Amino acid sequence: MHIDNETGYQAGFTAALDRDGRDHVVVVVKGSFDFPDRDGDPCRPADLQDPLVMADTFWAEPGFSAPRTEMDFAHVKPLCDILFDATAHAPDGKPATQFRAGARLGGWVKALDVVGDRVWLSGPTGLRISEARPFVAMPVTYDLAFGGVDRSDPNDEFPMSFGPNPVGRGWHRATNLAHLTGQFLPNFELPGQAVRQPWDSPGAAGLGPLGRGWPDRLRFAGTYDQNWIDTVFPFLPADFDPRYYQAAPADQQIPYPAGGEIVTLVNLMPQGKTSFRLPKAEMPVLFSRRRAEDVSFNAPLDTIVIRPDARRINLNWRANIPLQRDIFEVTECIVGPRSRAFWRARKLGKTYYPSLKALPRKVPAL
């Protein structure tokens, strides 16, 4: 299949199976935009577009650290993910022990309390929390949110982990409270869910993608039991839910945006607060098929990745159609808006040239 792409953005395709075992062709268009120089202005297309992400990336060792970026080729997303690859910055660039950071996009808003390093201390009245250490900047990662593996007991050969966030810090089994002295507390907390007592168990606070095997996503993956092994494998189970493809936590999923919404970031950049307008969200896509009519529609904007440190935002539009046999039945995919002249030339079977400069010159015969 050929992709006719004159948007200036990146575009790619893959094949994917749905729950019924039917093949789909999936096209992803990825646009990179730079933050404006003046607050409140629209973002502008970046001169150098970021490539499509072909595999998940992590903050440290894969499988033992939080996901940083998820690959771009999900089959479908019923909602739009809002994701961040960000650093929390203390106000005015001065060392602080705690502050609030967050973001707003249109009517959506989320905030995190960011706290310096703390440990549990033992005292005459029991365990207490140490004073937080001042800091200037801290990466926003689930590695520093509540959760993790409880390795506080040196005699525990098979330490347990906190399922909702197995890579974080601060979670401990009730039987290990005697081993908490010197153990770290989380650096990121949801407002109103601060850890006060050793047995507190708040939610994990973050802004990035969730791990594919973490319970908040795994509950949508379906049932993989003996019946699935015997009668369904290698296809997806009947109770598979496409919401599994949503990489963001539930409170960072919104209906597909229309574009133009105001985005405000607070303490996710050194200057403290910045705002800009989301780029236009419309992306027409047309699939041309060998033995069937063309299929055209506006691909939804289903992934927004905000990267404040790079002053950049990435937008992903996704389109897919089911296949009758294989991917070769789709000959071409046209992405992006085109002029009436383009469609007239296509209808008449003629070659379309957007300008005289694009018209090939004929060399006169000698």
Side-chain angles (χ1 to χ4, degrees):
M1 186 186 79
H2 169 68
I3 296 182
D4 186 349
N5 173 25
E6 295 183 5
T7 62
Y9 308 144
Q10 299 288 324
F13 70 93
T14 189
L17 283 174
D18 65 15
R19 185 173 50 196
D20 299 322
R22 190 174 185 181
D23 277 314
H24 289 240
V25 59
V26 180
V27 171
V28 178
V29 182
K30 180 176 184 174
S32 303
F33 302 82
D34 291 330
F35 290 3
D37 295 326
R38 189 174 62 179
D39 271 6
D41 284 355
C43 290
R44 56 184 182 274
D47 294 333
L48 182 63
Q49 292 287 307
D50 294 331
L52 288 158
V53 178
M54 300 297 181
D56 298 353
T57 66
F58 297 81
W59 282 93
E61 186 178 356
F64 296 91
S65 65
R68 185 168 186 173
T69 307
E70 188 156 295
M71 77 162 187
D72 287 323
F73 287 97
H75 176 195
V76 64
K77 292 188 178 184
L79 295 167
C80 178
D81 282 337
I82 304 175
L83 296 165
F84 293 79
D85 183 348
T87 301
H89 294 268
D92 302 319
K94 298 177 180 178
T97 58
Q98 182 172 349
F99 58 87
R100 185 161 290 182
R104 179 187 297 273
L105 192 160
W108 171 87
V109 62
K110 184 172 182 178
L112 304 177
D113 286 332
V114 192
V115 191
D117 284 343
R118 302 164 295 164
V119 297
W120 288 105
L121 299 176
S122 58
T125 59
L127 290 167
R128 62 182 179 86
I129 299 173
S130 71
E131 295 292 328
R133 295 185 61 182
F135 67 101
V136 175
M138 186 180 297
V140 184
T141 165
Y142 282 105
D143 296 297
L144 301 177
F146 184 81
V149 179
D150 184 3
R151 295 189 175 90
S152 57
D153 184 356
N155 298 317
D156 192 348
E157 186 177 359
F158 302 104
M160 296 182 64
S161 64
F162 181 66
N165 178 22
V167 300
R169 53 166 52 175
W171 176 81
H172 302 282
R173 299 172 64 186
T175 55
N176 284 344
L177 298 186
H179 302 281
L180 290 195
T181 301
Q183 298 294 320
F184 281 101
L185 282 85
N187 297 101
F188 292 96
E189 298 176 323
L190 296 170
Q193 297 189 33
V195 175
R196 301 298 184 196
Q197 303 294 336
W199 49 83
D200 287 342
S201 186
L207 295 173
L210 300 176
R212 295 178 183 272
W214 297 4
D216 282 350
R217 292 186 69 175
L218 204 58
R219 62 194 176 103
F220 298 118
T223 304
Y224 299 84
D225 54 11
Q226 191 62 45
N227 177 68
W228 174 81
I229 294 173
D230 294 339
T231 64
V232 180
F233 175 85
F235 302 109
L236 293 170
D239 57 349
F240 178 86
D241 190 320
R243 285 179 289 179
Y244 176 77
Y245 295 120
Q246 304 284 165
D251 61 358
Q252 290 174 225
Q253 300 173 22
I254 64 171
Y256 303 135
E261 293 87 350
I262 289 287
V263 179
T264 302
L265 308 178
V266 177
N267 292 330
L268 294 177
M269 299 183 70
Q271 63 264 43
K273 183 178 180 180
T274 191
S275 64
F276 53 86
R277 286 192 176 275
L278 197 69
K280 182 180 178 181
E282 190 172 289
M283 181 61 64
V285 173
L286 180 142
F287 290 98
S288 179
R289 300 185 290 180
R290 292 185 189 276
R291 299 179 181 85
E293 293 183 353
D294 293 347
V295 177
S296 63
F297 51 88
N298 279 319
L301 171 59
D302 68 11
T303 307
I304 299 171
V305 181
I306 301 175
R307 300 165 53 210
D309 290 342
R311 295 185 58 84
R312 178 162 289 199
I313 181 171
N314 295 124
L315 306 183
N316 283 14
W317 295 266
R318 193 176 319 274
N320 76 78
I321 60 168
L323 300 171
Q324 299 296 326
R325 297 186 63 182
D326 55 45
I327 200 169
F328 298 105
E329 70 194 54
V330 180
T331 58
E332 185 180 37
C333 178
I334 301 171
V335 300
R338 301 299 169 92
S339 66
R340 291 184 179 179
F342 171 88
W343 295 114
R344 184 166 56 250
R346 178 181 172 82
K347 184 177 181 180
L348 296 174
K350 296 182 177 180
T351 303
Y352 170 74
Y353 300 104
S355 66
L356 290 175
K357 186 178 180 180
L359 188 68
R361 296 180 180 179
K362 294 184 178 179
V363 179
L366 295 177

